Amino acid sequence: MHIWTCHGGTNQKWTTGAQPSQTPTSSPTSSPTPPPPGARPCDIYASGGTPCVAAHSTTRALYGSYTGNLYQVRRSSDNTTRNIAVLTAGGVANAAAQDSFCAGTTCVITVVYDQSGRGNDLWYQGSNVVPGSPQSRPATATTESLTVGGNKAYSLYIN
């Protein structure tokens, strides 16, 4: 992690976009849609009218219909990478695929994919995807394991 000195640049200023004297002129007119059975966090947020703009997890899907990759690991023995996906739609990570791929060597997590479909993937700071950060190291992929819904998964442990 880098902590940058505040220099007052426009990229370091926060604003709400509203003037203090403004008041809302109308209230929401629609009722939230109830989430479907088996809904995951981002499904629930969307049913309340506030969809996820990014969704990251190394342990499980955050949408009930998500079937893609959660994260990528890279093994130290040959620098090969493998994407780790969910076992089933809306399910937990396929930790067995990671265990098999990383057997006999160490692995690091190089990217956590955005499940929202908006492309807000999280690359580790030392990645060539993140310019100006060659001194950082990615998180070890096997530091923290846990059980989610009866299945093994790995959390993202950043030292």
Side-chain angles (χ1 to χ4, degrees):
M1 175 186 338
H2 287 281
I3 299 177
W4 300 98
T5 304
C6 183
H7 55 72
T10 57
N11 64 330
Q12 295 181 331
K13 295 180 181 177
W14 291 76
T15 178
T16 63
Q19 299 298 319
S21 61
Q22 293 178 334
T23 57
T25 56
S26 63
S27 59
T29 57
S30 62
S31 299
T33 306
R40 299 291 180 250
C42 287
D43 300 320
I44 295 167
Y45 296 145
S47 71
T50 55
C52 291
V53 295
H56 305 99
S57 175
T58 61
T59 59
R60 67 181 181 135
L62 298 176
Y63 293 90
S65 62
Y66 187 75
T67 58
N69 295 315
L70 297 176
Y71 60 99
Q72 180 186 88
V73 292
R74 183 182 68 213
R75 64 182 171 207
S76 62
S77 61
D78 61 2
N79 285 328
T80 303
T81 59
R82 170 163 290 166
N83 290 327
I84 305 300
V86 293
L87 288 168
T88 60
V92 300
N94 186 350
Q98 176 180 322
D99 288 340
S100 173
F101 180 74
C102 297
T105 188
T106 58
C107 279
V108 294
I109 295 177
T110 53
V111 61
V112 180
Y113 294 112
D114 178 13
Q115 299 174 37
S116 75
R118 292 180 169 87
N120 294 314
D121 301 332
L122 299 175
W123 290 86
Y124 79 96
Q125 286 288 318
S127 166
N128 62 3
V129 177
V130 181
S133 61
Q135 68 278 7
S136 300
R137 293 179 312 177
T140 303
T142 55
T143 301
E144 297 284 331
S145 68
L146 61 142
T147 302
V148 178
N151 295 291
K152 182 180 182 180
Y154 289 98
S155 64
L156 178 62
Y157 178 82
I158 300 172
N159 188 0

